[in-house]
Every structure is written in C-alpha cells, then in structure tokens.
Amino acid sequence: IGHPEIFPLVFTTKTQEIFNCRVDEDVTEENRFKLIKKEDIIQDLKTRATISDFHPVKKAVLEYPGEELLVVFDAKFQYGQNFYFVASEEAKENLLKPPETAEEEEEKEEEEENREETLEVHPYKPPVHKPWVSLGSEKEVEEESVKDTVTKIKYMISRVRRKFGAPVTFTDKNASHVKDSYIECMSFQDKTFSIKMLEKDVGVQMVPKVREASTQTKWTYPKNAATQYFPRQLSNEEKEESLSSEKLKEFLTSVRLRMEIALQQNEIMNAFFDDWKALAEDESSSGDKTDVYLKAYQSFTDLRHLKDKTISCICWHPIIYGIIAVSARERLSYEEQVNLSDKSLLHQSVILFWSFFDPILPQLMLECPEDIYCFQFSPSDPNIIAGGCIHGQVVLWDISQHEEKLQNAKTVADGVKITAVNMVNASVLNVLQYIYMSVGENGTEPPLVRYCAVSSIQYSHKKPVTDIHWLPDYFEDNRMGATFENRAEICVQLVTCSPDCSILFWDIPATKLPEQPSPKKVKEEVIFYMPPDVPDTFKHLDLCWKPLTKINLCESDTNREYGPVRISLGELHYHYKTSEKVQSLNTLEVPAAESPYTEMSTPSSKNLKVLENISTDFFVGTEDGEIVYSEWKMEIDSDSAKPVSQKHTQTIHTETINALQRSPFFKDIVLSVGGRNFAIWKEGVTNGPILQSSCSAGRYTAGQWSLTRPGVFFIGRDDGNIDIWDLLKKTHEPSHFQNISESMITFISPWIASAKQHFLAVSDDLGVLHVLEICQTLSHPSRNEHANILDYFEREVKYLKYCEQEFQEYQEFQVK
C-alpha cells in the first residue's frame, strides 16, 4: 500500500458496538479518531479468537509499545476498508496533533500585527550608496577563470599554382614505415582466460532466425579498440558468504511485509479480467478515442500434418459459418525452392478444414498430390475447390458428399469439451500432444477426400503455382483472348500464374451441363482407374487437362522475361453489342493434343456474342519485385506477326511480391506488398504508385484490405507483428500495430460473420492459424469515409501528374 505503519481493517457492526466506534454515531467523517486500550483489544482476541476483526493484525497489536491504540474511520476508503489501525506512536501523534502549517503561522502573525495599535508614520529615506568592501571573492573568481597558457602553433600550407586541379593518385603504404602513422592491432587469445571448464550449466531458448547485415560507413580516423568479456561465476565459498551476510538478511527483513501484502493482492485479483475491454470502455466514457485492437478468438494447429510446415494459403468457407481451410507447404530456403524439381517429397500433403466449434480436430482433409501453394472455392458452387501445386499442376476437388458434415460441425463437437480457461492455462505443447493422442489412439481422424482431377504434367506450369483465381460467372475467355457471354452463370474458367514467366487460363466444363463427347473423342481419351469413393465430377479431365490460353510475360524488344507470383484481374464491366438473345454456352473447344494452347488464332464463335467494353487489364507482381500493368487481350504486331500486349513496368519493391490485392470498394485500386515497403496503384495511372510507404526495419510478408472500411488495410511482417494502416488518420506510418506470433506472418484473410462480428485469420511460419476478432473501430466505417478516401486517391493522382509535368518541363529546359 505504501504505508507500512497503517493496517486496513474491516469493523463489523458487532465490533463497532463493543469498542463504541459506531459509524455516524461515535465516529464521523469530521471526528474520525478513536483511541482504544490495548488491554481491551487483547481481551477481545482471547474471547473471539479468529472471529475478532483484530485477528489479521494480532502480531502488530501485541508488539505495539503504547497503552492506547489509534483507530481511524476511513469514510472514503482511502486504504480499501472502512477503518485502519495506526501501528506506531509517532504516526499516532502526527494524526492527533498535526504540526502547524506555514499558512497558519502567517495568519497568526497577521492577527498579532492587527492587534498593535501603532499610529507612527516613518518618512521615506532614499538608500545611500556605500563603498564596496572586498571580502576576497575576486581571488576565487580569478582562480576559476580559464586562461590560455600554452603558446599556439601556426601552420601555413601552400601549393604551387601549376598543381591546382591536378589529378590525385593514391598508393598503398606500410603503416610501420611512416612516422606518426598507426599499426593494426590484431586480436589474439589470452592464455589467462583459457581455463577449461569441466562442468557448465547452459540454458537454451528458442529464438527467431538470426540474420546478419552490413553496410558501408564513413571511416573517420584509425582507432585501436578491443572488447573481451566472460561471465562471472561465484565459487561455493563466495555463495555461502553472500547468503550468510547480514546485508542480505537486513534486505529480506525490510521487504518481507511489502512482499506479503503484494502476494495477498495477487491472490484476490481476477486473473481473467479483460483489461483491454475495460480500458476501451473508460476511454469511450471519458470522451477520448477508443482503443484499437485485434482480440484473440481462436487458434488451430495440427501436430502431424502441419509439423515443420508453413501455412501458404487461407480460405474461409463462403456460406458455412466458422469453417476455415488452410494449405501448407514445406519450409524451404530460396535455393531449395529453385531446385524443387530435384527434391523428393515423401510426406503427405493435405488441406485442412477447421471449425470454430472444434478447436482440436480438423473436420475434413483434402488429399493433395503435392504441397498446395494456393487454392480457392468456386463462387458458383462452394463444393468445388481448385488449387495450385508446388510443382506446377492444378488440382480439382468435389466435397459435396461432405457438405452436411461441415454444416453439422457444431453438433459433432459437443462431445469434446474444452473451456476457454483451460485453453489459456495449457501450454501449446500440451495442446499439440492432446491433438496427437486424440487422433492416434482413439482413431477419430477426419475423413480424407481424394482429388477428382489433376492437370497434365506436360502442359502445366514448370514452377509452383503461386496464385489462382476464378473468372466471373458472366463471361468466358477463348484462345484468342476475346470474351463471350456465359448464359449458364457458372464459374467455368480459372487463371493461374507461376514464376515460369507464364499465365495460364483453364477451362472447366460446367458440371450442371453434361457434355456429350463424340465417339472419336472417346477413342482418343485414355481411361484411368478412379477409386470408388472419389466423385466422378471431373474424371474426364484427370491427367489430360490442358490450359486454354497462355500468356508469356516478356518484352518483345529486349526478350526480358517476368516471373509472375501474384496476379490481380480488373473489375469487368460490359454491355451487349446488340439486344438479341445469345445462345447458351456449354463448353469451349478442347485444343488438339499437339497444340494444347494457342496464343493467337481465329475463333470460331458463330453462336457467341462478343462482350464489348470489357476491361482486360491486370496487374502482375513478379519475383524480382516488379509491378507489371498489362492486358490479356493481345494484338498482332505488324512487323513480327506475333501476338503482343502493351506492358508498363514499375520497380518499387526490392524483393518478391507477397501480396497483390484489389480494394473491395474501389475496383481500380490495388495494394502491393513486398520487401520492406508497400504501394497503392491505380488502374490507368502508369507513371508510378499513388502512395508508397517508406522503407521499414522489417520485411513485409502479407497484406489484405479491410472488407468494411475503405481506408483500412493490414500488413503482416516477418517479426510476427501486424501493422494496421488507417488512411483517414495517418498516411506516413501505421496508426496501430499488434504482435500476433513469434514467427513470420505468412497469410492474412478477413471474413464478415455478421454485422457485429468480423474476423481476421492470420497464419505464421510455425504452422499455427490465429483467428482474431476485429474491434468495432476497425470494422465500422465512419461517416463519409468512402467519399473521403476516394477524394484522397484523386488528389494523389493529380499530384502525381503534376510532378510528372514539372519533370518534363525541367528536362526540356535542360535540353534548351
């Protein structure tokens, strides 16, 4: 409490009657002191024993030197109880007879002056100047003053006129041959510290990966410096001497009482009290801004399937509440990823489906031929899932047979009861061990769903599929790059990209519109055996699925190739060329075996209506940190007769692009994250980003826009932190940041569960999925936020054009 002589007490009504200290009768707020004889208190302790209110301070009462003890009525509960007991005579005297303050003494002096009835008036006498008399202080000033006693040396450096502006040549010389130079002092081993230790206690702690960095600094002057340190270890004799010293005993005796009080406070404190929530309520009630935070809601991991792996992609189920799927891949270095084709991966690769209602076991597992880098649910049918393998193939799954199990995950999870308190107190290792035992011993492993189809190895990507997207359900693309209406309104096409410098468009026959194959086509197809528990949805595509269109990202002039790792397609707005009805589209032609895809050909679309005014622009982020702005609709070059497309390239990032996300509120605004900075781009603006962050201390590894606030986005870092950017508050630094994990953040995915519940899924490099609940400040937009952010983007575009115009005028001026 801070007052070792004061002990708070709780006086019950019975105790107040015994000692005549009844509240508002015997003691009041003005008259709050009560003297009680020590004998009466001792008699009460003997009579009522532990029931007595003086029992907690029995020791202090018995050791009290005086005959009467002072008990004070604490009406304002300054020390936490209704009474408190003073345990020293000095403190008792100070409370009963407080010393007079300086103000009271002044009031007494004024009263005495007022009592004097003096009528004498003294005339004014001006001060008389007196001669100064020296007392010896000038000698001290003279001694402390600084005087120049050393004669200054003057140097004059001159040079012959003809040597002005002559080139300077530098040569190497030995420092020991030149006078007043320096000699390098190399470090050496001192034999004094070469004592061998026979036994040593070592503590090991897990730390993030250590990185070494260097930079070229300015060398000022030579300086010999060395640092040598060793830990100090006390001998057994020194330890015994220190433990038996009087100084240590005095210290322990002085802090014993305070330590006991602190331990008692810790015992009665609510350890599960939500301080963040209480802090936000206090600030909101006082008129200040509420605190911004991401509240931990749930976490998932799997000891068998996610061990030594990093989560590569996160997808929320589009229609079922609380279902989230994750894919994982091996933690490989950059060199291992480059030589991935030579690495044999013998582990089982799966996509895990987790439910909020069962944090221990996954609800479903999708079998994968290899590690999955990215995957997406079909917008038309959430039971259809497409994924990209780390070896370049595209995989399809159909989970329609297990849809009911995912919807009933809450009912199934009622058998496993884990309270929030137990999850907080249990260590991560114990939880992982419990998962392993539950799966291994009880045999409750979730169902494993095999993939329906996988693309042809020969015509797939040659490197990992790093990004995959479903094309909208109202149009389809053909081998020419032209777009046509899709009357079925079912997503039937995919686009994938890979660092092998290619972007592939894949055509999937609509499952609700069965295809009637010709007899000639049936003969050419190779029949593969499919297990009985695998749906036959895409059995005609397994191992013979080929891309429809291929785009090579390279410069026709310099033959420079770009390795795309992220792609972002533009929002497609269109209108019909005529108002006539367009015939339904079942599937597009399957290219011939010898030509799996064509980059340019004449389409045969007699029954198709071309959709005009469709934006075919897209952004691509490369593995070298470049942002390429191009379009997939190619034109024939008149000189080379080859399909080409206009490209605009900007190099803002110094490392691989980790995220390329289009704003859900502005379809022409794109966020790119990579290296140590991020940038915001606008479609149609080719002279640079409209917003670029400064270089950060750590690397940015993930990024995602908010789904409800136009000016908010989240940036993941390699140190486990998440930067929360709010463009309405700050544009030069994050408005808030929060630590999520001890390892690198690998993926971020938001989700809106309801109007009052918003989640943010964050994965790390240790294979742990963190589900965070977004606070109200970050999920509910402010008034006119959309218009303010749009106005901000427009101002930045105008400023960028103004800077470009000024630069062009400056160049023209330099030429003139």
Side-chain angles (χ1 to χ4, degrees), residues 795-811:
R795 291 199 311 268
E796 292 299 321
V797 171
K798 293 180 181 179
Y799 177 74
L800 197 63
K801 293 181 179 179
Y802 170 77
C803 293
E804 184 181 11
Q805 183 180 359
E806 291 291 327
F807 181 72
Q808 291 178 355
E809 293 178 357
Y810 175 75
Q811 285 184 330

Side-chain angles (χ1 to χ4, degrees), residues 608-787:
L608 304 178
K609 280 294 182 182
V610 178
L611 304 180
E612 294 186 343
N613 297 336
I614 294 181
S615 174
T616 58
D617 298 337
F618 63 90
F619 283 88
V620 164
T622 69
E623 59 181 351
D624 295 328
E626 300 164 320
I627 299 296
V628 181
Y629 177 54
S630 182
E631 60 179 355
W632 75 64
K633 188 175 181 181
M634 301 184 179
E635 299 178 356
I636 298 296
D637 188 5
S638 58
D639 299 332
S640 60
K642 293 182 179 180
V644 295
S645 62
Q646 189 177 5
K647 300 179 181 64
H648 302 278
T649 306
Q650 294 285 341
T651 304
I652 300 297
H653 308 279
T654 57
E655 298 180 22
T656 302
I657 302 299
N658 295 316
L660 193 65
Q661 297 289 337
R662 195 172 293 268
S663 172
F665 299 92
F666 311 101
K667 299 304 180 182
D668 56 347
I669 299 296
V670 178
L671 170 68
S672 65
V673 178
R676 298 181 181 272
N677 63 343
F678 71 87
I680 297 179
W681 310 78
K682 182 177 176 61
E683 217 172 60
V685 180
T686 59
N687 52 353
I690 60 176
L691 176 63
Q692 178 183 353
S693 69
S694 58
C695 184
S696 66
R699 290 175 55 249
Y700 291 154
T701 56
Q704 185 64 257
W705 289 95
S706 171
L707 299 180
T708 54
R709 289 197 54 189
V712 174
F713 53 91
F714 308 94
I715 302 294
R717 301 165 63 100
D718 61 346
D719 56 0
N721 291 336
I722 285 186
D723 292 345
I724 305 173
W725 288 76
D726 190 349
L727 298 181
L728 286 179
K729 295 182 178 180
K730 300 178 182 179
T731 58
H732 64 286
E733 63 179 2
S735 57
H736 307 278
F737 72 92
Q738 185 172 339
N739 181 262
I740 305 300
S741 172
E742 296 180 356
S743 62
M744 177 180 64
I745 302 298
T746 59
F747 205 89
I748 299 176
S749 178
W751 182 51
I752 303 176
S754 63
K756 296 183 179 180
Q757 197 172 33
H758 303 258
F759 293 108
L760 187 71
V762 181
S763 62
D764 58 22
D765 197 42
L766 298 178
V768 181
L769 174 64
H770 307 268
V771 178
L772 311 171
E773 190 172 1
I774 305 175
C775 66
Q776 184 177 1
T777 306
L778 293 176
S779 57
H780 290 70
S782 60
R783 182 181 298 178
N784 300 328
E785 180 173 349
H786 187 280

Side-chain angles (χ1 to χ4, degrees), residues 119-165:
L119 300 177
E120 297 180 1
V121 178
H122 299 279
Y124 173 74
K125 296 181 180 181
V128 179
H129 295 283
K130 297 180 180 180
W132 178 74
V133 178
S134 175
L135 298 179
S137 59
E138 66 276 6
K139 295 181 179 180
E140 297 180 1
V141 175
E142 184 70 17
E143 292 177 355
E144 295 295 333
S145 61
V146 180
K147 297 181 180 180
D148 293 336
T149 58
V150 181
T151 305
K152 295 182 179 179
I153 302 175
K154 296 183 180 179
Y155 291 93
M156 184 181 66
I157 302 174
S158 61
R159 194 177 187 183
V160 184
R161 177 73 178 181
R162 63 176 180 274
K163 294 184 179 180
F164 285 4

Side-chain angles (χ1 to χ4, degrees), residues 301-319:
T301 189
D302 190 275
L303 183 62
R304 294 196 305 167
H305 301 96
L306 298 181
K307 184 180 180 181
D308 298 330
K309 287 190 175 183
T310 177
I311 296 179
S312 57
C313 187
I314 304 173
C315 284
W316 295 89
H317 198 285
I319 59 176

Side-chain angles (χ1 to χ4, degrees), residues 48-336:
R48 296 198 294 169
T50 58
I51 305 176
S52 174
D53 292 340
F54 285 96
H55 185 268
V57 295
K58 179 179 179 181
K59 184 178 180 181
V61 170
L62 296 177
E63 294 178 354
Y64 187 75
E67 297 296 331
E68 290 183 338
L69 287 82
L70 177 63
V71 176
V72 184
F73 172 54
D74 192 356
K76 297 182 180 180
F77 290 87
Q78 181 179 1
Y79 298 102
Q81 306 298 344
N82 56 353
F83 285 86
Y84 62 85
F85 153 64
V86 180
S88 68
E89 286 290 331
E90 183 180 357
K92 183 177 73 174
E93 294 298 330
N94 292 336
L95 289 175
L96 294 176
K97 298 179 181 180
E100 295 183 353
T101 60
E103 296 179 355
E104 294 176 351
E105 294 179 356
E106 292 179 359
E107 291 178 357
K108 289 183 178 180
E109 292 178 359
E110 291 179 359
E111 291 177 358
E112 293 177 359
E113 291 178 358
N114 294 333
R115 291 174 184 173
E116 296 179 359
E117 298 178 355
T118 307
L119 300 177
E120 297 180 1
V121 178
H122 299 279
Y124 173 74
K125 296 181 180 181
V128 179
H129 295 283
K130 297 180 180 180
W132 178 74
V133 178
S134 175
L135 298 179
S137 59
E138 66 276 6
K139 295 181 179 180
E140 297 180 1
V141 175
E142 184 70 17
E143 292 177 355
E144 295 295 333
S145 61
V146 180
K147 297 181 180 180
D148 293 336
T149 58
V150 181
T151 305
K152 295 182 179 179
I153 302 175
K154 296 183 180 179
Y155 291 93
M156 184 181 66
I157 302 174
S158 61
R159 194 177 187 183
V160 184
R161 177 73 178 181
R162 63 176 180 274
K163 294 184 179 180
F164 285 4
V168 180
T169 57
F170 298 95
T171 59
D172 297 335
K173 62 181 180 180
N174 194 338
S176 60
H177 297 166
V178 181
K179 186 179 180 181
D180 297 333
S181 183
Y182 73 97
I183 301 176
E184 185 177 4
C185 181
M186 301 296 293
S187 60
F188 64 94
Q189 184 177 4
D190 192 351
K191 296 182 179 180
T192 308
F193 301 95
S194 60
I195 302 174
K196 294 184 179 180
M197 300 180 64
L198 301 179
E199 184 178 355
K200 184 178 181 181
D201 295 335
V202 179
V204 180
Q205 183 180 3
M206 184 66 180
V207 297
K209 185 178 180 181
V210 179
R211 295 180 176 87
E212 294 183 358
S214 60
T215 181
Q216 186 176 0
T217 57
K218 184 179 180 181
W219 183 75
T220 55
Y221 60 91
K223 182 179 180 181
N224 297 330
T227 303
Q228 190 173 13
Y229 62 92
F230 284 91
R232 180 186 176 186
Q233 296 182 353
L234 298 178
S235 61
N236 295 332
E237 293 77 7
E238 292 175 339
K239 292 179 181 178
E240 293 179 359
E241 182 181 356
S242 177
L243 293 175
S244 60
S245 62
E246 293 296 332
K247 187 176 181 180
L248 180 61
K249 292 180 181 179
E250 293 176 359
F251 169 76
L252 295 178
T253 304
S254 62
V255 300
R256 180 182 61 84
L257 182 61
R258 285 179 289 172
M259 182 60 66
E260 290 178 355
I261 297 175
L263 292 176
Q264 292 175 1
Q265 290 178 345
N266 291 337
E267 288 295 331
I268 64 176
M269 178 182 176
N270 184 10
F272 303 100
F273 182 73
D274 194 345
D275 294 324
W276 286 105
K277 185 177 180 180
L279 181 62
E281 292 175 353
D282 294 342
E283 291 182 351
S284 60
S285 61
S286 61
D288 297 334
K289 60 180 182 180
T290 58
D291 194 8
V292 177
Y293 62 94
L294 300 173
K295 181 180 179 181
Y297 184 82
Q298 191 65 273
S299 62
F300 305 94
T301 189
D302 190 275
L303 183 62
R304 294 196 305 167
H305 301 96
L306 298 181
K307 184 180 180 181
D308 298 330
K309 287 190 175 183
T310 177
I311 296 179
S312 57
C313 187
I314 304 173
C315 284
W316 295 89
H317 198 285
I319 59 176
I320 302 179
Y321 174 84
I323 299 297
I324 184 171
V326 297
S327 63
R329 59 183 177 87
E330 288 289 331
R331 287 200 295 263
L332 304 176
S333 62
Y334 181 77
E335 293 77 9
E336 291 173 340

